[in-house]
Amino acid sequence: MLQVIAHPERKDWPALLARPQFDATHLKASVNDVLSRVKSGGDTALREFTARFDGVELTELQVSAAEIQSAVDRVDETLRAAIATAAANIRKFHEVQLGAVQQLETQPGVLCMRKSVGIEKVGLYIPGGTAPLFSTVLMLGIPAAIAGCREIVLCTPPDRSGNIHPAILFAAQLTGITTIFKCGGAQAIAAMAYGTESIPKCYKIW
């Protein structure tokens, strides 16, 4: 409920303007528990956390090629066109950031070189919620592909039917990402950080 305080005294201003303090002690303990259990329990722990937090029991964590194609076919043409336009614009913007190899002879016989090399294996986390964040798929996946990352892993939480929103899968396919897992929250980050039986360990997570 909104509280209106009219004409407070100056001595009360600091307390009134102070930002609320969030006690993250319990949160840190919960996250640390998730991280350690996924590190030791792998896929079994992921399925348990998915059942607890997302309300769905999964037999397979990875999204199959058939699921991806089925989802892509269900995306509305208008939305499909909008996502494709956004992808083209994002790709055009990031392509100009690809710098050529720079070489400089600082003194006779001494050559210095700067070369950008893509990280071999990266993990992308796409949050779930009330709206499908397919834009995040584009903004993370396209730069990774342009940079030359050889393997791009995507984790995103499933809905209560065990499915991923079609727009997210369409954006992933458009970006060239096919390694997709139904996994969300801290457990997904843990899986990409440590690796499990299904989800490969990644060298960087966005």
Side-chain angles (χ1 to χ4, degrees):
M1 180 180 292
L2 178 65
Q3 182 181 10
V4 178
I5 302 175
H7 311 299
E9 294 187 21
R10 183 177 291 272
K11 65 179 179 63
D12 296 327
W13 289 6
L16 293 173
L17 296 174
R19 290 182 177 272
Q21 296 296 314
F22 176 69
D23 183 5
T25 304
H26 175 70
L27 179 61
K28 288 180 180 179
S30 298
V31 171
N32 283 335
D33 178 60
V34 171
L35 297 179
S36 62
R37 287 186 59 189
V38 171
K39 185 177 182 179
S40 61
D43 285 355
T44 299
L46 290 180
R47 291 191 181 92
E48 290 175 357
F49 285 126
T50 300
R52 182 196 302 181
F53 298 133
D54 299 311
V56 58
E57 294 188 4
L58 299 176
T59 54
E60 292 294 331
L61 294 170
Q62 185 165 3
V63 180
S64 68
E67 286 180 280
I68 294 174
Q69 189 56 55
S70 175
V72 166
D73 292 340
R74 297 198 307 274
V75 177
D76 175 81
E77 286 297 331
T78 302
L79 180 57
R80 187 190 298 259
I83 294 174
T85 298
N89 290 336
I90 293 169
R91 185 172 289 108
K92 185 182 298 183
F93 176 81
H94 285 287
E95 281 176 342
V96 300
Q97 299 178 50
L98 271 180
V101 176
Q102 295 180 336
Q103 185 170 297
L104 173 69
E105 188 173 17
T106 56
Q107 62 184 54
V110 179
L111 291 176
C112 297
M113 181 182 295
R114 186 179 73 84
K115 179 182 180 182
S116 298
V117 179
I119 299 170
E120 184 177 348
K121 190 185 303 181
V122 296
L124 311 183
Y125 181 69
I126 310 302
T130 56
L133 298 181
F134 52 81
S135 59
T136 307
V137 178
L138 302 177
M139 290 186 288
L140 296 181
I142 291 175
I146 291 173
C149 298
R150 294 185 179 181
E151 185 173 358
I152 304 174
V153 176
L154 187 153
C155 286
T156 188
D159 60 21
R160 290 189 177 273
S161 299
N163 299 313
I164 306 299
H165 195 284
I168 288 180
L169 295 181
F170 174 71
Q173 186 194 61
L174 198 63
T175 308
I177 302 171
T178 56
T179 308
I180 306 169
F181 295 94
K182 303 172 184 179
C183 186
Q187 61 270 25
I189 304 300
M192 291 187 284
Y194 301 124
T196 70
E197 297 90 333
S198 297
I199 301 179
K201 178 179 180 179
C202 299
Y203 305 141
K204 185 176 180 64
I205 301 171
W206 285 309

